[in-house]
Amino acid sequence: MSEIKKVTIDPTKLMIVGLACGLVGAYLGAIRSEVAGLLAGILAVPVIVWGADTVRRIASYGLGTGVPSIGNLSSSMGLLAALVGLAYQPVIGVILAAVAGVVYGAFVARFKILEIPRLPRYTTELAMAASLALMCLASCVIGYYNPIPESGFLAPTSNFENIFKALFVTGFVAAIFWITSVAMLHPFNAGLGVGERQGRTLKIAVVTGGMALTLAGIARIGYLTIFGASTQLYIAYATLAAGVVVWAGGLVAFLRTAIREAASAVWTGIPPKKK
Amino acid sequence: MIGLDVMIIILIMIAVGGVLICAGVFFMPVGGAPAAMSTATGIATGCEMMAAGAGITGLLMSAALYGQPSYIVILNAGISSAIMMCITMLVANFIVIFGKGVPPALATVEKDPVTKENVKPFVTPGTVGHGVPTASYVSGFIGAFLGGIGGALTFIPILRVALSISQGQTLNVNVLLGAFTVNAGHQHVPLFVLAGICALSMYFINANIAAYSIRGVIEGWWDPKFKRLPKTAITCFVASLVFGMLALLLLNSEAFITVLKMVRGG
């Protein structure tokens, strides 16, 4: 059992930023422009960073089953809540994710299946982060998600028709499901160890968030091409480019940090340096 | 749209499925990373991935047999998962016995619970068993069978409700449990995707509870960790009910029913 380490960013602040970014991303489609989809995809990156930080906190206690199980758990909880959220209203999905996460964590802690202090809070954060990330990425793939109805409270049903076409007819839902899972589990899975530090781990989360955004861009291109709407591809290419930029930027930042904090960085000799 | 009796049956099916998935994980000989180095009994991967393998095999089988009566779908899903797991264990044993030259052995008991052979002397000092001995093999067979049944029990209600609404049929208990006379065309494939991804999510949620309860390595039903099963099963039951309600909310939503009517239109 590891002690509580000193953290660079306070987890509560990260949670507030993640919640705000995710909700803004989910509700941005109210402006009814495809730019909203691109921005929602970019806003999914802070949500993924929040999720990765939660995975870091919960998995640093040692689970006995490996870190990937936590990532799959979070995206499984998030997917069901996100689908409900996209069918009704995103905020309902987030609230249901929180309720389901509290119940899950409370029962797992009550029967001493996983003895981790404050487990309900962690599972709640996992479910909320995954559902928000999935909703943002889904609205990025379908173009934009318009949650404002003409009357009443529930989101217009045309949104769900788009989601059905973009995610289920093409099968991209599996890709989005797994990339959310991997984006959240990979940072701590790759960074864990004695010298693990929150700032460095979260830089890997930016890298995996960029990968998720890239995949959402590819899915957007695929969806538009399959349904013969290839004239509107420029925003899809912009999503892809934004994803690659976030990915490469995160990677450069992470490499710099890793080289600075390593004991030493030496040349292995392969490939040989040319003189 | 969905009647109360049908909803209760769906919830019960999903919750019982969750409990079976949990029991299935407990029966499987999970070896984890130590088994890959032949320093522990079992299959060389974590609980979760093994459960996912068994579950997905069961889901594929139940998707292929969607029109049959429920008990045939459920039994076949269990059998296909069990076949998959048995082949995995057989090949793992071939590698361990003929490749590494290690005899399969159990560390927690003196005698093999199935064949009554002396297995303890074969354990290398410093390790907790190797390979998949006969008792672990039988235990793994039972576990994969239960896991496949659990996967099919979560898959069937979601798929059948979606398919029957999209065909404009009235929903009753017979649709969920009896034979299903719907000819699915290419326009229905997305419903299989939806049911599959929802069932996979339920599978991960339940398999994870069992995996945390086991914490790494388990040999079979004689292992001391097996005593945790009742508490874990109650947790899985509650978690499945909660997430089953989320699935029901999705199936009941106006947006989803509109989409299903769109599917009927082609």
mmCIF file of all heavy atoms in Angstrom, chain B residues 129-155:
data_model
loop_
_atom_site.group_PDB
_atom_site.id
_atom_site.type_symbol
_atom_site.label_atom_id
_atom_site.label_comp_id
_atom_site.label_asym_id
_atom_site.label_seq_id
_atom_site.Cartn_x
_atom_site.Cartn_y
_atom_site.Cartn_z
ATOM 1 N N GLY B 129 2.576 -24.021 -7.930
ATOM 2 C CA GLY B 129 1.962 -24.900 -8.918
ATOM 3 C C GLY B 129 2.326 -24.510 -10.332
ATOM 4 O O GLY B 129 2.907 -23.449 -10.579
ATOM 5 N N HIS B 130 2.008 -25.406 -11.264
ATOM 6 C CA HIS B 130 2.258 -25.126 -12.682
ATOM 7 C C HIS B 130 1.127 -25.690 -13.523
ATOM 8 O O HIS B 130 0.466 -26.646 -13.136
ATOM 9 C CB HIS B 130 3.547 -25.761 -13.205
ATOM 10 C CG HIS B 130 4.549 -26.080 -12.171
ATOM 11 N ND1 HIS B 130 5.457 -25.160 -11.758
ATOM 12 C CD2 HIS B 130 4.789 -27.205 -11.474
ATOM 13 C CE1 HIS B 130 6.225 -25.722 -10.847
ATOM 14 N NE2 HIS B 130 5.837 -26.951 -10.648
ATOM 15 N N GLY B 131 0.995 -25.155 -14.718
ATOM 16 C CA GLY B 131 0.101 -25.730 -15.717
ATOM 17 C C GLY B 131 -1.347 -25.764 -15.291
ATOM 18 O O GLY B 131 -1.769 -25.070 -14.368
ATOM 19 N N VAL B 132 -2.152 -26.596 -16.002
ATOM 20 C CA VAL B 132 -3.566 -26.738 -15.702
ATOM 21 C C VAL B 132 -3.837 -28.211 -15.393
ATOM 22 O O VAL B 132 -4.064 -28.995 -16.306
ATOM 23 C CB VAL B 132 -4.446 -26.259 -16.880
ATOM 24 C CG1 VAL B 132 -5.914 -26.258 -16.480
ATOM 25 C CG2 VAL B 132 -4.040 -24.875 -17.327
ATOM 26 N N PRO B 133 -3.807 -28.644 -14.123
ATOM 27 C CA PRO B 133 -4.094 -30.039 -13.795
ATOM 28 C C PRO B 133 -5.561 -30.386 -14.058
ATOM 29 O O PRO B 133 -6.379 -29.497 -14.321
ATOM 30 C CB PRO B 133 -3.778 -30.115 -12.303
ATOM 31 C CG PRO B 133 -3.040 -28.886 -11.988
ATOM 32 C CD PRO B 133 -3.450 -27.859 -12.964
ATOM 33 N N THR B 134 -5.888 -31.690 -13.950
ATOM 34 C CA THR B 134 -7.231 -32.145 -14.335
ATOM 35 C C THR B 134 -8.331 -31.396 -13.595
ATOM 36 O O THR B 134 -9.317 -30.970 -14.206
ATOM 37 C CB THR B 134 -7.362 -33.648 -14.045
ATOM 38 O OG1 THR B 134 -6.194 -34.285 -14.517
ATOM 39 C CG2 THR B 134 -8.570 -34.218 -14.733
ATOM 40 N N ALA B 135 -8.168 -31.230 -12.270
ATOM 41 C CA ALA B 135 -9.237 -30.589 -11.501
ATOM 42 C C ALA B 135 -9.433 -29.147 -11.953
ATOM 43 O O ALA B 135 -10.564 -28.675 -12.100
ATOM 44 C CB ALA B 135 -8.890 -30.639 -10.016
ATOM 45 N N SER B 136 -8.314 -28.431 -12.218
ATOM 46 C CA SER B 136 -8.429 -27.055 -12.693
ATOM 47 C C SER B 136 -9.091 -27.022 -14.060
ATOM 48 O O SER B 136 -9.866 -26.111 -14.375
ATOM 49 C CB SER B 136 -7.050 -26.411 -12.796
ATOM 50 O OG SER B 136 -6.547 -26.142 -11.530
ATOM 51 N N TYR B 137 -8.792 -28.060 -14.870
ATOM 52 C CA TYR B 137 -9.382 -28.137 -16.216
ATOM 53 C C TYR B 137 -10.896 -28.248 -16.106
ATOM 54 O O TYR B 137 -11.649 -27.530 -16.774
ATOM 55 C CB TYR B 137 -8.803 -29.355 -16.930
ATOM 56 C CG TYR B 137 -8.944 -29.333 -18.422
ATOM 57 C CD1 TYR B 137 -7.938 -28.818 -19.212
ATOM 58 C CD2 TYR B 137 -10.089 -29.822 -19.037
ATOM 59 C CE1 TYR B 137 -8.060 -28.789 -20.583
ATOM 60 C CE2 TYR B 137 -10.222 -29.800 -20.395
ATOM 61 C CZ TYR B 137 -9.199 -29.289 -21.170
ATOM 62 O OH TYR B 137 -9.325 -29.249 -22.514
ATOM 63 N N VAL B 138 -11.360 -29.160 -15.217
ATOM 64 C CA VAL B 138 -12.803 -29.335 -15.034
ATOM 65 C C VAL B 138 -13.428 -28.049 -14.499
ATOM 66 O O VAL B 138 -14.491 -27.605 -14.952
ATOM 67 C CB VAL B 138 -13.071 -30.515 -14.080
ATOM 68 C CG1 VAL B 138 -14.537 -30.627 -13.751
ATOM 69 C CG2 VAL B 138 -12.564 -31.801 -14.691
ATOM 70 N N SER B 139 -12.721 -27.419 -13.547
ATOM 71 C CA SER B 139 -13.219 -26.174 -12.973
ATOM 72 C C SER B 139 -13.321 -25.084 -14.040
ATOM 73 O O SER B 139 -14.313 -24.349 -14.101
ATOM 74 C CB SER B 139 -12.272 -25.745 -11.862
ATOM 75 O OG SER B 139 -12.813 -24.704 -11.131
ATOM 76 N N GLY B 140 -12.307 -25.011 -14.910
ATOM 77 C CA GLY B 140 -12.335 -24.027 -15.977
ATOM 78 C C GLY B 140 -13.465 -24.268 -16.947
ATOM 79 O O GLY B 140 -14.107 -23.330 -17.430
ATOM 80 N N PHE B 141 -13.733 -25.565 -17.223
ATOM 81 C CA PHE B 141 -14.853 -25.913 -18.103
ATOM 82 C C PHE B 141 -16.164 -25.395 -17.514
ATOM 83 O O PHE B 141 -16.952 -24.735 -18.193
ATOM 84 C CB PHE B 141 -14.899 -27.442 -18.273
ATOM 85 C CG PHE B 141 -16.115 -27.949 -18.973
ATOM 86 C CD1 PHE B 141 -16.173 -27.938 -20.346
ATOM 87 C CD2 PHE B 141 -17.202 -28.418 -18.261
ATOM 88 C CE1 PHE B 141 -17.294 -28.392 -21.010
ATOM 89 C CE2 PHE B 141 -18.326 -28.870 -18.905
ATOM 90 C CZ PHE B 141 -18.373 -28.857 -20.280
ATOM 91 N N ILE B 142 -16.375 -25.666 -16.197
ATOM 92 C CA ILE B 142 -17.614 -25.213 -15.549
ATOM 93 C C ILE B 142 -17.696 -23.691 -15.578
ATOM 94 O O ILE B 142 -18.741 -23.097 -15.874
ATOM 95 C CB ILE B 142 -17.675 -25.725 -14.097
ATOM 96 C CG1 ILE B 142 -17.665 -27.251 -14.081
ATOM 97 C CG2 ILE B 142 -18.905 -25.207 -13.383
ATOM 98 C CD1 ILE B 142 -17.459 -27.833 -12.706
ATOM 99 N N GLY B 143 -16.554 -23.029 -15.280
ATOM 100 C CA GLY B 143 -16.543 -21.576 -15.234
ATOM 101 C C GLY B 143 -16.902 -20.953 -16.569
ATOM 102 O O GLY B 143 -17.727 -20.038 -16.636
ATOM 103 N N ALA B 144 -16.289 -21.457 -17.651
ATOM 104 C CA ALA B 144 -16.574 -20.885 -18.965
ATOM 105 C C ALA B 144 -18.019 -21.154 -19.355
ATOM 106 O O ALA B 144 -18.683 -20.305 -19.965
ATOM 107 C CB ALA B 144 -15.631 -21.473 -20.002
ATOM 108 N N PHE B 145 -18.545 -22.331 -18.976
ATOM 109 C CA PHE B 145 -19.952 -22.647 -19.279
ATOM 110 C C PHE B 145 -20.877 -21.640 -18.599
ATOM 111 O O PHE B 145 -21.764 -21.062 -19.232
ATOM 112 C CB PHE B 145 -20.243 -24.078 -18.812
ATOM 113 C CG PHE B 145 -21.589 -24.589 -19.194
ATOM 114 C CD1 PHE B 145 -21.882 -24.888 -20.511
ATOM 115 C CD2 PHE B 145 -22.574 -24.756 -18.237
ATOM 116 C CE1 PHE B 145 -23.121 -25.353 -20.869
ATOM 117 C CE2 PHE B 145 -23.821 -25.217 -18.589
ATOM 118 C CZ PHE B 145 -24.095 -25.517 -19.904
ATOM 119 N N LEU B 146 -20.636 -21.400 -17.290
ATOM 120 C CA LEU B 146 -21.473 -20.437 -16.557
ATOM 121 C C LEU B 146 -21.317 -19.035 -17.141
ATOM 122 O O LEU B 146 -22.294 -18.297 -17.288
ATOM 123 C CB LEU B 146 -21.096 -20.429 -15.077
ATOM 124 C CG LEU B 146 -21.407 -21.691 -14.289
ATOM 125 C CD1 LEU B 146 -20.954 -21.529 -12.852
ATOM 126 C CD2 LEU B 146 -22.897 -21.974 -14.319
ATOM 127 N N GLY B 147 -20.070 -18.666 -17.490
ATOM 128 C CA GLY B 147 -19.834 -17.346 -18.043
ATOM 129 C C GLY B 147 -20.560 -17.135 -19.357
ATOM 130 O O GLY B 147 -21.153 -16.084 -19.599
ATOM 131 N N GLY B 148 -20.531 -18.155 -20.222
ATOM 132 C CA GLY B 148 -21.227 -18.050 -21.501
ATOM 133 C C GLY B 148 -22.724 -17.906 -21.308
ATOM 134 O O GLY B 148 -23.383 -17.097 -21.986
ATOM 135 N N ILE B 149 -23.283 -18.675 -20.353
ATOM 136 C CA ILE B 149 -24.714 -18.566 -20.067
ATOM 137 C C ILE B 149 -25.038 -17.151 -19.592
ATOM 138 O O ILE B 149 -26.020 -16.537 -20.019
ATOM 139 C CB ILE B 149 -25.121 -19.598 -18.996
ATOM 140 C CG1 ILE B 149 -25.052 -21.004 -19.577
ATOM 141 C CG2 ILE B 149 -26.524 -19.322 -18.498
ATOM 142 C CD1 ILE B 149 -25.375 -22.066 -18.560
ATOM 143 N N GLY B 150 -24.169 -16.613 -18.704
ATOM 144 C CA GLY B 150 -24.402 -15.263 -18.200
ATOM 145 C C GLY B 150 -24.385 -14.236 -19.314
ATOM 146 O O GLY B 150 -25.229 -13.338 -19.356
ATOM 147 N N GLY B 151 -23.407 -14.370 -20.243
ATOM 148 C CA GLY B 151 -23.347 -13.439 -21.362
ATOM 149 C C GLY B 151 -24.600 -13.493 -22.215
ATOM 150 O O GLY B 151 -25.165 -12.461 -22.585
ATOM 151 N N ALA B 152 -25.071 -14.719 -22.501
ATOM 152 C CA ALA B 152 -26.277 -14.866 -23.330
ATOM 153 C C ALA B 152 -27.490 -14.289 -22.614
ATOM 154 O O ALA B 152 -28.357 -13.679 -23.247
ATOM 155 C CB ALA B 152 -26.501 -16.338 -23.646
ATOM 156 N N LEU B 153 -27.553 -14.448 -21.283
ATOM 157 C CA LEU B 153 -28.713 -13.942 -20.536
ATOM 158 C C LEU B 153 -28.782 -12.420 -20.561
ATOM 159 O O LEU B 153 -29.872 -11.855 -20.451
ATOM 160 C CB LEU B 153 -28.653 -14.415 -19.086
ATOM 161 C CG LEU B 153 -29.284 -15.767 -18.796
ATOM 162 C CD1 LEU B 153 -29.076 -16.134 -17.348
ATOM 163 C CD2 LEU B 153 -30.763 -15.737 -19.102
ATOM 164 N N THR B 154 -27.628 -11.734 -20.673
ATOM 165 C CA THR B 154 -27.703 -10.280 -20.792
ATOM 166 C C THR B 154 -27.942 -9.844 -22.235
ATOM 167 O O THR B 154 -28.497 -8.791 -22.471
ATOM 168 C CB THR B 154 -26.422 -9.598 -20.281
ATOM 169 O OG1 THR B 154 -25.312 -10.335 -20.767
ATOM 170 C CG2 THR B 154 -26.371 -9.545 -18.798
ATOM 171 N N PHE B 155 -27.498 -10.677 -23.172
ATOM 172 C CA PHE B 155 -27.604 -10.300 -24.598
ATOM 173 C C PHE B 155 -29.032 -10.471 -25.110
ATOM 174 O O PHE B 155 -29.563 -9.595 -25.806
ATOM 175 C CB PHE B 155 -26.638 -11.174 -25.400
ATOM 176 C CG PHE B 155 -26.636 -10.935 -26.878
ATOM 177 C CD1 PHE B 155 -25.907 -9.897 -27.413
ATOM 178 C CD2 PHE B 155 -27.351 -11.758 -27.728
ATOM 179 C CE1 PHE B 155 -25.889 -9.684 -28.767
ATOM 180 C CE2 PHE B 155 -27.335 -11.546 -29.082
ATOM 181 C CZ PHE B 155 -26.598 -10.505 -29.605
#
